[in-house]
Amino acid sequence: MKAKIIVTPKKAVVDPQGKTVQNALEQMGYRGIRAVHVGKYLEIELDGTDGEAVRRQLDQAAHDFLSNPIIEDYRLEME
Amino acid sequence: MKAKIIVTPKKAVVDPQGKTVQNALEQMGYRGIRAVHVGKYLEIELDGTDGEAVRRQLDQAAHDFLSNPIIEDYRLEME
């Protein structure tokens, strides 16, 4: 089983990394870029088949220490 | 339009960040974790509707300076 966790800064939070990438893209000649957000991507390979239990555990882990819920959102996908 | 770029270390490359997250999860009591890979996630909001042209440009950008093709793979998704 494979789980994917995507952690992104909340929309209201300043995202200097995203702003830097946006500026870089514009200086390289790319036009029409409205915004860039930079986040973390975690791919977790798992034993086991009980998707629901694993999802609950990982959701807890993502909330407790893989993301900072004050300034970040996360999205958990199971495959 | 929205583009998503996911940059991950190649499988053959040592991923100390992923290993650290794996160890942390195990120490927190999570079992059955085979591997963790940590990567970057970029979300790009774009003007324009010519999906194919934009995809080509972003693919070039991802290859040229958003990832390091020697040690990283990237995946580009358009929405």
Side-chain angles (χ1 to χ4, degrees), chain B residues 4 6 20-21 25 28 33 37-39 54 59 70 76-77:
Chain B
K4 293 172 181 176
I6 292 171
T20 304
V21 172
L25 283 166
M28 304 286 282
I33 294 164
H37 309 284
V38 178
V54 170
D59 199 66
I70 296 165
L76 172 61
E77 288 165 21

Side-chain angles (χ1 to χ4, degrees), chain A residues 1-2 4 6-8 11 17 21 24-25 28-48 57-58 60-61 64-66 75, chain B residues 1-2 4 6-8 11 17 21 24-25 28-48 57-58 60-61 64-66 75:
Chain A
M1 220 167 19
K2 207 187 252 186
K4 293 172 183 178
I6 292 171
V7 181
T8 45
K11 297 284 168 193
Q17 220 184 335
V21 171
L25 283 166
M28 304 285 281
Y30 297 90
R31 290 286 165 267
I33 295 163
R34 230 181 282 160
V36 180
H37 309 284
V38 178
K40 264 180 302 188
Y41 173 81
L42 288 105
E43 204 173 79
I44 304 175
E45 289 172 36
L46 296 150
D47 293 328
Q57 281 202 321
L58 283 180
Q60 195 64 39
D64 287 353
F65 68 97
L66 296 177
R75 202 161 72 236
Chain B
M1 219 165 22
K2 206 186 252 185
K4 293 172 181 176
I6 292 171
V7 182
T8 46
K11 297 283 167 192
Q17 219 185 336
V21 172
L25 283 166
M28 304 286 282
Y30 297 89
R31 291 286 164 268
I33 294 164
R34 230 181 283 161
V36 179
H37 309 284
V38 178
K40 264 180 303 186
Y41 174 80
L42 289 105
E43 204 174 80
I44 303 174
E45 289 172 36
L46 296 149
D47 293 327
Q57 281 202 320
L58 282 180
Q60 194 65 39
D64 288 353
F65 69 97
L66 297 176
R75 202 161 72 237

